[in-house]
Amino acid sequence: MATVTVKNLSKKYGTVTALAGLDLDIPDGALVSLLGPSGCGKTTVLRLIAGFEKPDSGDIFVGGVRMNDTPVNRRNIGMVFQSYALFPHLTVWENIAYGLQQNKLPKREIEQRTAEAIDLVQLIGCGPRKPKQLSGGQQQRVALARALVTRPKILLLDECLSALDKKLRVEMQAELRRILEASHITALFVTHDQEEALTLSDFVAVMNEGKVVQMGNPTEVYEKPQNRFVAGFLGKVNFIEAEAAGLGKGAFLVRPEKIKIHECPPNKPHLVGTVEYVTYAGNITTYTFNCGGKQVLAEDQAVLPAKYKQGAKGFLSWEKEHCLPMED
């Protein structure tokens, strides 16, 4: 394991700024997700840490050692790509053993470490198969095993679950977490999927326009976003202009799941609205209320038929601690 520290990292491609003085600290043994919209610089960070690109300015440290001028093959960094990049003509065993063979390790050690890696990703019995004979989830495990078998200092994962269908993706999130914890490895995971980042990570670093705009554990970044961008990127939000007791006047964030819907006016401050849309999603129902020309989302446990139909009147309230002042 190793810490990763990035200081004031900048990178341009022509006139396009990919990174603009990015700072990032990844603790030893932690799984950190880089989360942000397309084009915010997530993959560029991985490519610079791996050594595939050189920064225009700034420094990269792995385990306290500056890596800027270290060749790719001497950084001891593992990487799992979105496409898995498996060799189609090699078996599972040969794919996993490839890096060890290139490092010219003794045959017995190669066999032992390859067997251990296959066991770690629960692919015992699949060694003789070719990649085309595997499911998407199995191919992803092979790619993980191939990256881990060389015992890298850190592991970089670039959207490595995005090619899987929804059900398998959810299953592999738990499996990936298990594998990384068993490997005791520091990992940096790039994704644009908010739920995936919150589910997998010890820490989430939210990026925008080439910088990390907030980093914290999943609860911190979701429950206490530092600005509108972070709040809006992590799940559904309501931004309500109001005057709140003890908080003053301004824009406030209230998550839809924090809003309570009442059939009658509650004995507390509330909004009055009319249901415009009802969206059923299996486990929850989302109601879109028109509150004096302002749309407000409220979520409730899904029941059939829905508690409130289109055109119904509702009274919306929330607890003070769920109302957060927001800055741009």
Side-chain angles (χ1 to χ4, degrees):
M1 294 190 291
T3 58
V4 179
T5 302
V6 170
K7 294 184 177 179
N8 198 30
L9 204 61
S10 297
K11 181 67 179 180
K12 281 189 175 183
Y13 297 100
T15 59
V16 177
T17 299
L19 297 178
L22 178 138
D23 294 313
L24 181 66
D25 284 301
I26 303 175
D28 189 21
L31 170 56
V32 175
S33 285
L34 285 181
L35 177 66
S38 297
C40 72
K42 303 186 299 294
T43 296
T44 300
V45 174
L46 256 61
R47 294 184 63 83
L48 291 171
I49 293 174
F52 300 142
E53 307 267 0
K54 285 190 172 293
D56 296 331
S57 61
D59 295 300
I60 300 166
F61 298 89
V62 176
V65 179
R66 187 175 181 272
M67 288 285 166
N68 291 47
D69 302 316
T70 304
V72 175
N73 62 344
R74 294 182 57 194
R75 294 196 180 197
N76 192 21
I77 292 174
M79 191 157 186
V80 181
F81 298 92
Q82 182 178 354
S83 63
Y84 310 145
L86 301 177
F87 298 116
H89 62 289
L90 299 182
T91 65
V92 168
W93 181 279
E94 291 166 341
N95 265 283
I96 295 172
Y98 182 81
L100 302 177
Q101 293 167 343
Q102 294 301 302
N103 292 338
K104 303 186 185 305
L105 269 63
K107 182 179 179 181
R108 179 173 294 181
E109 185 173 355
I110 291 174
E111 291 178 350
Q112 179 182 345
R113 286 168 62 170
T114 302
E116 289 173 352
I118 287 177
D119 182 43
L120 175 66
V121 298
Q122 297 182 350
L123 285 176
I124 294 175
C126 294
R129 297 186 192 177
K130 298 287 182 65
K132 66 180 181 181
Q133 296 173 304
L134 303 175
S135 68
Q138 288 173 324
Q139 290 182 40
Q140 194 255 13
R141 294 184 194 192
V142 175
L144 269 173
R146 185 179 61 182
L148 292 170
V149 75
T150 58
R151 298 175 183 170
K153 292 180 180 177
I154 60 172
L155 182 65
L156 307 177
L157 305 112
D158 189 10
E159 303 265 16
C160 67
L161 301 181
S162 62
L164 304 177
D165 62 61
K166 175 67 175 178
K167 182 176 183 297
L168 183 56
R169 187 170 183 164
V170 171
E171 291 174 356
M172 286 308 302
Q173 288 171 6
E175 189 66 10
L176 177 59
R177 182 78 201 186
R178 178 193 67 80
I179 292 168
L180 294 178
E181 286 180 349
S183 303
H184 306 290
I185 193 168
T186 305
L188 182 59
F189 182 81
V190 160
T191 182
H192 63 269
D193 186 309
Q194 300 94 323
E195 183 179 342
E196 187 168 83
L198 295 172
T199 300
L200 274 173
S201 313
D202 297 310
F203 300 96
V204 177
V206 184
M207 289 185 62
N208 189 34
E209 297 181 345
K211 290 185 176 181
V212 172
V213 292
Q214 184 174 351
M215 181 171 171
N217 65 48
T219 302
E220 289 171 343
V221 294
Y222 184 82
E223 299 288 350
K224 297 182 179 180
Q226 292 178 355
N227 55 50
R228 283 189 179 225
F229 174 81
V230 176
F233 197 78
L234 285 166
K236 301 173 186 176
V237 292
N238 293 301
F239 293 115
I240 299 173
E241 298 290 336
E243 183 169 357
L247 297 174
K249 183 181 292 186
F252 296 89
L253 160 70
V254 184
R255 297 281 186 190
E257 69 271 17
K258 307 296 187 185
I259 293 180
K260 295 180 181 178
I261 309 172
H262 308 268
E263 294 182 4
C264 301
N267 189 24
K268 61 172 67 176
H270 59 271
L271 297 177
V272 182
T274 303
V275 176
E276 287 190 334
Y277 307 104
V278 179
T279 306
Y280 172 76
N283 60 330
I284 61 168
T285 296
T286 301
Y287 297 95
T288 303
F289 283 87
N290 185 323
C291 299
K294 169 71 175 180
Q295 283 194 338
V296 177
L297 302 178
E299 290 182 348
D300 200 1
Q301 184 176 2
V303 294
L304 292 176
K307 292 181 181 178
Y308 301 91
K309 298 185 182 298
Q310 191 173 16
K313 191 175 184 180
F315 302 87
L316 312 179
S317 71
W318 52 86
E319 301 302 323
K320 180 179 177 180
E321 61 266 25
H322 298 147
C323 182
L324 302 177
M326 276 290 105
E327 298 180 1
D328 291 333

